[in-house]
Amino acid sequence: MLSQTVVKRLKEIVGEKNVVTDKVGLLTYGYDGTLLSGEALGVVSPTTTEQVVEIVKLMNEHDIKLVPRGAGTNESGGTIPSQDSVVISFTKMTKIHEIDTENFVAVVEPGVINFDLQVELEKKKFYFPPDPSSFKASTIGGNVGECSGGPKCFKYGVTRDYILGLEVVLPNGKVIQTGGRNFHSEPGYDLTRIIVGAEGTLGLVTKVFVRIIPMPRAKKTMLAIYDKVEDASQTVADIVAAGIIPTTLELMDNLLINTTEDFTHAGIPRDAGAVLIIEVDGYPEDMDGQVKTIGEIASKIAKEFKVAQSAVEVDQIWTSRRSAFGSVARVRPSYGVNDITVPRSNFPKAIGGVLKVAKDFGVTIGVVAHAGDGNLHPLILFDQRNKEETETVHAAEQALCMMALDLEGTISGEHGIGLVKKKYLDKEFTPAAMEAFRKVKRSFDPSNRFNPGKVIDL
Amino acid sequence: MSNVNISMLKGIVGDAFVIDSPSEMANYLKGQGKPAVVVLPGNTSEVSSIVKLANEQNVKLAVGGAVADTQGITGGIAMVMSRMNQILEMDHMNLVAVVEPGVLHKDFLLKVTEAGLNFPPEPYELETSSVGGCFAIGDSDSKSFEYGPTRTFLLGFEMVLPTGEILDIGNKCIKNVSGLDFIHFAVGSQGTFGIFTKLLVKLLPAPEAKKAVIGTFASMHKANATFNTLIKRNVLPTRMNLINASLAKNAKPGTEGQFVIIDLQGFKESGKNIANEVAAVLTLGGGSDVKIIEDEVEYEQVINGWLKVRADLNSKPEQTVEFAVGPMKMPQALTQLEALTGDLGAYPGVIVEGLLGFVGLALPEGTDKLDLARKVNKLAMSLGGNVKGLLGHKLKAEVYNDAEMWKQTASLLSELRQQFDPKGILNPGVSLEP
């Protein structure tokens, strides 16, 4: 419980309606995209950097921890309130300060929803490449916190590659600016890079300078249908070997083909082993050549290859992919999204590994993958109300992480570490690397005030 | 008096690789400092032992790829990584290479090109830059608009920490957000967090076609105006660079006037059309001798000319002021700059990286660098930019009249350095206090 004094001060800082302390209100801020939950002492929603500073100072006086939160769509448990903490919600800092297409930069507050920014940019024929599947709900601040990816990473990279600078409130309540509006603004060390993906453990981001780029002049979307997942992986390997970098190489396995077909009726054969959505972008005059090369490569093994001929067909293809996560709810009530990445060359082995885990643990797993990146999202389907089954699922999730590490991969391709994967972090990183993380954390937050217990323990 | 124990160093790397005769040492050193010894380790464990020794004996240690900067290490050890010069792996399937830090940047580029691949970061210095140095400096360059800054190309590394411990991090996954991002944080830390002993480098497929368009202009303003036209037309080349008349001859002998180099890396089909469009824009904008270069040898000459000019500027940081503004703010920036520098064409050196809104100035002898940087920073800030890097950050805080912000940043930087290097052994020449 927060003392009356603290509640009163918080209300003075942000206004009465921006402080939540009632049980029901606290519950709603206790969840994120994972199955975990927690309960905060209170939730406070600042609207300015100055208010954030005041909140940080107040919490420091009373030795209360702060847990930052955007839309809470993350898959890592990064925003789950820890004990004795106040959630600082950035969803009311939603100003787009500036969109400067001539100079390729936009300045936004952390609570701006990724999609809302994209809509504004699209009016000017620009975009912000990172667009995680959650982009209709997730905030830019949250994307920065988790270093989100999305389907375009093979060509365009992840969130960190599009953040030029940040305004940050440090755990001592002081404000710094890292980076700026160009690539030449970091003060000696690349502070922006270490804060992106740190899940709010180093500082609270109150302003984001993002790099924006013109929308590609042309884009081609292709669909290849295979008997076996292995065949799809072969196409991926061959496309890369041909020197083509598609924006997207999305893979769905048979289970997801069927669950999405139930919903979209896109006409993908239900007995197919895998589909691959391939997209290239660039100058119009380069499209035909690339499509031709890709078509030749894919047709060698695919049972069907087609190029979307209209915007409607493109939409149809993408609707299947975008609805993949939701569509499995028809099969079982709950699903756990995993996020492992392996070097591209080990992708076929990783698919085999997923099948083995499914068999060993007797669980149903569907696979969606950003195949070009070697990034797999095995979805484990289950019923959360069944305790025993839930435990089996957790064991299977651990097995998936270990499998990725055995294949020289990583336990997080684009979702972050948070609470969910913290326990495996020392399997991926050596003691020296873990200690390097702690050195960084200690430099920023020696008293462990910001999002304690996420990513690493001090 | 040196307190470096030379016999112990010899015990670590062998007699042949410890050099203490001043005349021989000079081959491996630059700067005014006088280290007691140059040591050439052959592997990671030797590097680690040397660093541990430096800690035990409390002597400073400076590290370089082919040449070490001696600033701040008088009496200490200069470590040169040139013996660790192997490309350990070139992995086509995953588009990565595993490289030792002492591999020369130019040699690496050669091997990468032979393999049909692409490593975009520009060499900082043409002959002596190493791959380790490339990531230790971790700059952005005139290709960063298209390819991203240097850090984009590092996926992992092995590093000897300032305490001598060995840290191994990263993997061949191009998508990896696990843990804190120490991988990219280390890029640009100039060897203060540790010494790279192995690098896992990301590569790209080689572009299908490369072309350049060159031209000369009577004034910097006219030349730069064509850049704005290109950006407005949504023509965004790989490089869009401008060199003033004083330096143009260094890039291409015989050049008269301000020299424009537009580099187009991409596909054959679009390349042809864009080259024509660029050439037309340059010509209409008042360019002379506008030429599309398709010949491979000639293309390389033009690009090398640019790299040479860039490297000359890089080699004299104390006589250079660098800043960036929004690319489309460059016309105002150049006009206002001229009020400070006089005729830009005649100034000792002015380069513009048009896509990044970047300007590098080579200062005339006797210029008060800090005074000029302060004025340039004001100018840049009024156009949404700043003087580059740490100095720019300090000047920015000055303009904001925010001593607090600078103090916070500076103390954070020094705390980070101290956490990694508690005894302050490594690369004392790197200052975090401009």
Side-chain angles (χ1 to χ4, degrees):
Chain A
M1 274 271 286
L2 287 178
S3 72
Q4 282 312 306
T5 336
V6 172
V7 174
K8 185 165 163 277
R9 272 295 292 138
L10 282 175
K11 287 181 176 170
E12 281 167 14
I13 295 169
V14 297
E16 182 115 18
K17 66 179 192 316
N18 290 327
V19 178
V20 175
T21 50
D22 65 295
K23 193 92 184 159
V24 175
L26 293 181
L27 260 181
T28 55
Y29 286 92
Y31 290 88
D32 60 16
T34 63
L35 300 174
L36 302 169
S37 64
E39 196 177 307
L41 300 173
V43 179
V44 55
S45 306
T47 51
T48 65
T49 305
E50 290 70 29
Q51 290 180 359
V52 175
V53 169
E54 288 306 307
I55 293 165
V56 171
K57 285 183 177 162
L58 178 69
M59 293 300 108
N60 284 352
E61 278 166 32
H62 294 271
D63 201 21
I64 299 168
K65 317 279 186 189
L66 275 170
V67 176
R69 181 184 177 93
T73 55
N74 73 84
E75 303 281 0
S76 74
T79 54
I80 297 296
S82 52
Q83 279 181 339
D84 300 327
S85 65
V86 161
V87 165
I88 181 162
S89 166
F90 286 93
T91 47
K92 291 192 174 164
M93 291 182 72
T94 56
K95 278 194 216 72
I96 297 177
H97 287 295
E98 194 186 335
I99 292 177
D100 182 355
T101 54
E102 286 195 328
N103 296 298
F104 309 100
V105 61
V107 186
V108 304
E109 288 185 344
V112 170
I113 290 172
N114 183 307
F115 180 76
D116 293 345
L117 175 62
Q118 306 286 6
V119 167
E120 290 308 310
L121 292 173
E122 198 177 336
K123 291 177 189 164
K124 301 166 192 275
K125 295 207 163 62
F126 267 66
Y127 76 118
F128 171 62
D131 61 342
S133 295
S134 60
F135 80 126
K136 286 204 169 159
S138 63
T139 62
I140 298 294
N143 296 162
V144 166
E146 301 289 342
C147 194
S148 312
K152 298 195 200 96
C153 301
F154 186 31
K155 180 165 178 181
Y156 290 104
V158 291
T159 300
R160 75 167 77 93
D161 298 312
Y162 293 87
I163 305 300
L164 293 169
L166 300 167
E167 180 183 82
V168 182
V169 180
L170 295 173
N172 62 8
K174 309 284 187 190
V175 184
I176 59 166
Q177 197 185 319
T178 72
R181 290 163 179 265
N182 54 62
F183 289 136
H184 293 280
S185 324
E186 289 302 333
Y189 294 147
D190 193 345
L191 296 176
T192 303
R193 242 44 58 191
I194 199 68
I195 290 168
V196 175
E199 305 189 20
T201 59
L202 305 182
L204 303 177
V205 170
T206 49
K207 200 189 276 179
V208 190
F209 298 80
V210 303
R211 181 169 187 237
I212 54 175
I213 57 175
M215 292 173 85
R217 296 187 188 196
K219 195 156 73 173
K220 282 282 178 190
T221 308
M222 291 153 269
L223 184 72
I225 299 167
Y226 298 86
D227 287 327
K228 300 199 299 284
V229 180
E230 294 84 328
D231 295 348
S233 339
Q234 189 57 47
T235 295
V236 171
D238 293 347
I239 290 173
V240 175
I244 295 176
I245 298 278
T247 49
T248 289
L249 280 162
E250 296 288 290
L251 180 141
M252 291 196 296
D253 72 355
N254 175 268
L255 188 133
L256 285 151
I257 289 172
N258 278 286
T259 56
T260 56
E261 269 301 307
D262 290 343
F263 173 66
T264 62
H265 309 292
I268 299 170
R270 284 174 181 270
D271 62 344
V275 290
L276 205 53
I277 301 171
I278 308 163
E279 205 161 82
V280 290
D281 68 9
Y283 290 99
E285 56 266 54
D286 300 327
M287 292 295 106
D288 287 350
Q290 289 181 69
V291 168
K292 186 163 166 272
T293 309
I294 291 170
E296 283 165 8
I297 288 169
S299 302
K300 277 192 296 187
I301 25 180
K303 52 194 261 177
E304 203 182 321
F305 172 80
K306 64 178 181 190
V307 184
Q309 299 299 336
S310 65
V312 175
E313 283 184 33
V314 171
D315 266 353
Q316 207 173 31
I317 289 172
W318 275 108
T319 307
S320 293
R321 171 58 186 90
R322 291 264 185 216
S323 59
F325 284 15
S327 72
V328 298
R330 291 179 179 229
V331 183
R332 298 298 304 277
S334 321
Y335 66 89
V337 185
N338 293 275
D339 170 41
I340 51 175
T341 305
V342 296
R344 200 178 301 115
S345 59
N346 282 339
F347 187 77
K349 282 188 197 154
I351 293 282
V354 172
L355 295 177
K356 185 168 183 305
V357 168
K359 198 166 151 235
D360 289 354
F361 291 83
V363 288
T364 307
I365 307 185
V367 177
V368 181
H370 310 296
D373 315 333
N375 184 196
L376 297 93
H377 295 314
L379 300 176
I380 308 186
L381 313 191
F382 65 109
D383 186 344
Q384 192 185 345
R385 291 163 298 192
N386 180 336
K387 258 210 153 103
E388 201 184 324
E389 191 185 10
T390 306
E391 266 166 39
T392 310
V393 168
H394 288 323
E397 286 176 339
Q398 178 171 1
L400 288 171
C401 286
M402 295 310 128
M403 181 267 291
L405 294 178
D406 285 344
L407 294 173
E408 294 166 342
T410 170
I411 59 174
S412 180
E414 56 178 3
H415 291 174
I417 296 300
L419 284 174
V420 172
K421 290 186 173 169
K422 192 176 79 170
K423 49 186 177 291
Y424 316 132
L425 203 63
D426 65 354
K427 302 280 188 297
E428 174 165 351
F429 294 100
T430 61
M434 294 290 285
E435 185 53 27
F437 298 159
R438 281 191 287 267
K439 283 172 183 163
V440 171
K441 170 74 174 172
R442 276 198 291 271
S443 304
F444 280 85
D445 187 14
S447 310
N448 201 17
R449 294 186 188 285
F450 281 7
N451 214 2
K454 308 297 160 55
V455 192
I456 40 155
D457 285 317
L458 256 194
Chain B
M1 265 295 279
S2 140
N3 48 2
V4 178
N5 189 326
I6 293 191
S7 66
M8 284 181 88
L9 279 176
K10 286 181 174 169
I12 296 169
V13 296
D15 293 5
F17 302 114
V18 176
I19 298 162
D20 57 356
S21 94
S23 61
E24 243 189 289
M25 280 168 64
N27 297 328
Y28 299 98
L29 302 174
K30 65 176 176 195
Q32 305 303 314
K34 299 235 175 307
V37 64
V38 171
V39 58
L40 307 164
N43 58 48
T44 306
S45 106
E46 289 179 7
V47 174
S48 166
S49 301
I50 294 164
V51 175
K52 283 182 183 155
L53 182 68
N55 270 279
E56 278 158 25
Q57 309 204 317
N58 214 6
V59 293
K60 309 279 185 199
L61 178 75
V63 189
V67 173
D69 189 347
T70 57
Q71 200 188 330
I73 55 153
T74 292
I77 304 170
M79 180 152 72
V80 171
M81 309 299 283
S82 54
R83 282 178 67 215
M84 294 177 68
N85 62 355
Q86 298 300 306
I87 297 172
L88 302 172
E89 195 187 340
M90 192 74 84
D91 178 346
H92 288 254
M93 178 67 191
N94 292 306
L95 296 176
V96 298
V98 182
V99 183
E100 288 189 327
V103 173
L104 289 181
H105 195 131
K106 61 171 188 178
D107 293 343
F108 184 54
L109 285 178
L110 221 59
K111 289 280 189 276
V112 166
T113 309
E114 271 171 30
L117 299 171
N118 183 13
F119 177 64
E122 291 179 352
Y124 201 67
E125 209 283 328
L126 289 183
E127 296 302 319
T128 59
S129 275
S130 63
V131 177
C134 174
F135 289 105
I137 294 167
D139 223 331
S140 36
D141 57 48
S142 68
K143 279 195 280 183
S144 296
F145 187 90
E146 174 158 337
Y147 293 112
T150 299
R151 65 161 188 274
T152 319
F153 295 91
L154 194 64
L155 297 177
F157 52 78
E158 178 189 80
M159 173 184 262
V160 172
L161 297 172
T163 49
E165 255 181 300
I166 298 166
L167 182 152
D168 219 321
I169 195 168
N171 50 54
K172 288 181 179 176
C173 302
I174 58 166
K175 206 176 182 188
N176 177 3
V177 303
S178 193
L180 295 181
D181 189 9
F182 186 66
I183 297 170
H184 296 103
F185 192 44
V187 177
S189 63
Q190 299 180 75
T192 58
F193 291 153
I195 303 159
F196 290 128
T197 47
K198 206 184 280 177
L199 300 129
L200 182 54
V201 177
K202 176 184 164 178
L203 303 171
L204 296 173
E208 186 185 63
K210 290 182 185 181
K211 284 186 179 56
V213 185
I214 57 169
T216 52
F217 287 79
S219 88
M220 290 290 279
H221 306 283
K222 279 203 153 179
N224 179 69
T226 64
F227 291 179
N228 279 31
T229 307
L230 289 171
I231 292 175
K232 271 195 193 137
R233 295 175 70 98
N234 197 13
V235 174
L236 303 167
T238 305
R239 286 183 174 100
M240 192 164 77
N241 297 346
L242 168 59
I243 304 170
N244 79 336
S246 314
L247 290 180
K249 291 177 192 71
N250 301 353
K252 188 168 181 284
T255 305
E256 294 290 334
Q258 336 294 327
F259 187 39
V260 164
I261 301 171
I262 311 282
D263 181 13
L264 302 167
Q265 305 187 0
F267 289 91
K268 272 187 200 137
E269 290 301 319
S270 58
K272 247 184 283 175
N273 300 339
I274 299 166
N276 288 333
E277 189 174 349
V278 169
V281 167
L282 295 191
T283 308
L284 284 171
S288 333
D289 306 320
V290 174
K291 185 179 170 192
I292 298 174
I293 295 171
E294 311 207 39
D295 177 70
E296 211 175 306
V297 175
E298 208 181 344
Y299 171 86
E300 288 304 327
Q301 279 169 355
V302 166
I303 299 301
N304 280 330
W306 159 256
L307 293 177
K308 188 177 172 299
V309 167
R310 193 72 185 85
D312 286 347
L313 223 67
N314 289 340
S315 70
K316 299 182 207 100
E318 64 294 340
Q319 283 167 264
T320 311
V321 169
E322 297 174 309
F323 70 96
V325 295
M328 291 296 277
K329 300 279 168 65
M330 192 55 79
Q332 295 99 301
L334 293 182
T335 305
Q336 293 176 31
L337 186 61
E338 204 148 41
L340 299 174
T341 60
D343 179 15
L344 289 172
Y347 201 69
V350 183
I351 59 163
V352 176
E353 296 173 359
L355 287 162
L356 298 176
F358 173 86
V359 178
L361 298 172
L363 312 182
E365 288 291 332
T367 308
D368 179 346
K369 174 178 163 164
L370 191 59
D371 179 61
L372 181 68
R374 199 169 268 134
K375 288 173 184 153
V376 165
N377 186 61
K378 260 195 190 146
L379 171 175
M381 279 182 75
S382 74
L383 301 169
N386 49 273
V387 159
K388 183 175 169 172
L390 191 59
L391 174 61
H393 217 79
K394 185 173 187 183
L395 296 175
K396 206 149 78 169
E398 258 181 46
V399 174
Y400 289 150
N401 201 12
D402 195 344
E404 183 94 312
M405 184 173 94
W406 169 248
K407 220 175 94 193
Q408 269 311 305
T409 307
S411 80
L412 184 57
L413 298 179
S414 83
E415 178 60 31
L416 281 159
R417 187 172 187 174
Q418 167 110 31
Q419 283 279 343
F420 282 87
D421 187 2
K423 282 188 161 178
I425 300 283
L426 260 195
N427 292 313
V430 176
S431 168
L432 297 174
E433 267 290 336

